[in-house]
Structures are given as C-alpha cells and as structure tokens.
Amino acid sequence: MKEKTIDYVFRSTWQVISRMYNEEASKFDSSTAIGFALLSIDKEEGTPSSFISNRMGMEPTSLTRTLKTLEEKGLIIRKKNPDDGRGVLIYLTDLGKELRGKSKETVLKFNESVKKNISEEKLNHFMEVAEVINELITEKKIF
C-alpha cells in the first residue's frame, strides 16, 4: 500500500506505545495489561470484575487470566460482593497499590510528554476523531 490506512496508524501507534509501557513495566516485573488492570481497580472500595473488563475492553476469558496473574503476584485479593452474593469484588493489596502508583506515574509521564510536543488544538482534534471512530464501531455503522 502506498498510503497508510487509518486502522494501520492506530494499530502501529498502539504497538509502539504498548512496547514502551511493557519496557517500563518490566522494571517492576509487570506488564502493560497488569498496569492497566491495576489502574481500573478502585484503590479503596474494590471493583467488580465486570467493571474492569468493560473499562479495559477485555473479553472475560482474558480478564480471568489477568486477574489470576494479579492474584498470583499478590497484587489483588477477591472478596464476595456483600450486595450481591453471586459477584466478586477485586481489592488491591498494599503491593498492588504500590504498583498501581507506578503505573499511574508512567501513564501521566507519557501524557505530559505528548502534551509538551503536540498542541492542545491538535490533541483535541485527535480525541474527537478517535471518539467518532469508536462511535461508528460501537453503533455498528461500518459493517
């Protein structure tokens, strides 16, 4: 292809971002998926697992594997939801809170760096374009 397609630009950009995050996360025996999962869990109140999968855009089976890894690493604990006995709430351990903090710092540093190098107007346009693409896909207006 002579011209890059829109999906190619999104995919290749995300791959570069994900690789960067994974390199940083590896310093803490972590990964991009673990970092984003930790950021999706409320620091104090616990979070239903269904909320985490929705927020991360993960399939339940992928989330199950990620949560199992988080549990094995001692980053989370699961407790029955007192409001719904069928459900489970995910809580961060002290180690999970610490790693969540490092994940948050990493994401904020990335955002700061991008904001220093791209004008607010261009970033707003990018966000608008991404939002329209998300809506087109979500509302099944493409296929």
Side-chain angles (χ1 to χ4, degrees):
M1 283 183 160
K2 288 185 178 182
E3 291 184 36
K4 294 177 182 175
T5 61
I6 295 165
D7 67 310
Y8 172 84
V9 172
F10 272 98
R11 187 176 58 250
S12 62
T13 302
W14 173 247
Q15 287 174 344
V16 171
I17 292 169
S18 182
R19 194 173 316 122
M20 174 197 67
Y21 279 152
N22 274 322
E23 284 176 17
E24 188 63 22
S26 71
K27 297 173 186 175
F28 307 101
D29 190 31
S30 187
S31 68
T32 302
I34 288 172
F36 282 126
L38 292 173
L39 289 169
S40 298
I41 300 169
D42 186 279
K43 287 190 301 189
E44 306 302 329
E45 303 298 319
T47 304
S49 58
S50 59
F51 178 81
I52 299 167
S53 64
N54 289 341
R55 185 154 187 215
M56 292 183 64
M58 286 181 111
E59 295 295 322
T61 52
S62 296
L63 179 65
T64 300
R65 283 192 303 271
T66 301
L67 291 178
K68 183 178 180 192
T69 300
L70 293 173
E71 203 167 29
E72 289 170 353
K73 289 180 174 279
L75 301 171
I76 63 164
I77 55 172
R78 303 177 201 223
K79 295 182 182 177
K80 284 196 180 253
N81 186 337
D83 299 328
D84 178 2
R86 299 168 295 163
V88 173
L89 293 176
I90 309 298
Y91 291 88
L92 296 171
T93 63
D94 288 341
L95 182 60
K97 289 177 184 177
E98 183 181 327
L99 191 54
R100 183 186 191 279
K102 292 183 188 321
S103 298
K104 185 175 180 180
E105 287 173 23
T106 301
V107 170
L108 291 176
K109 186 174 182 179
F110 169 76
N111 277 267
E112 287 173 29
S113 182
V114 170
K115 287 178 180 180
K116 284 181 185 173
N117 290 281
I118 301 174
S119 72
E120 185 177 352
E121 181 183 10
K122 285 183 179 182
L123 280 173
N124 287 338
H125 288 303
F126 170 76
M127 296 296 199
E128 290 169 10
V129 169
E131 188 175 319
V132 170
I133 291 170
N134 272 311
E135 287 174 12
L136 289 170
I137 294 168
T138 301
E139 296 172 10
K140 301 199 182 296
K141 292 185 175 179
I142 295 176
F143 299 110

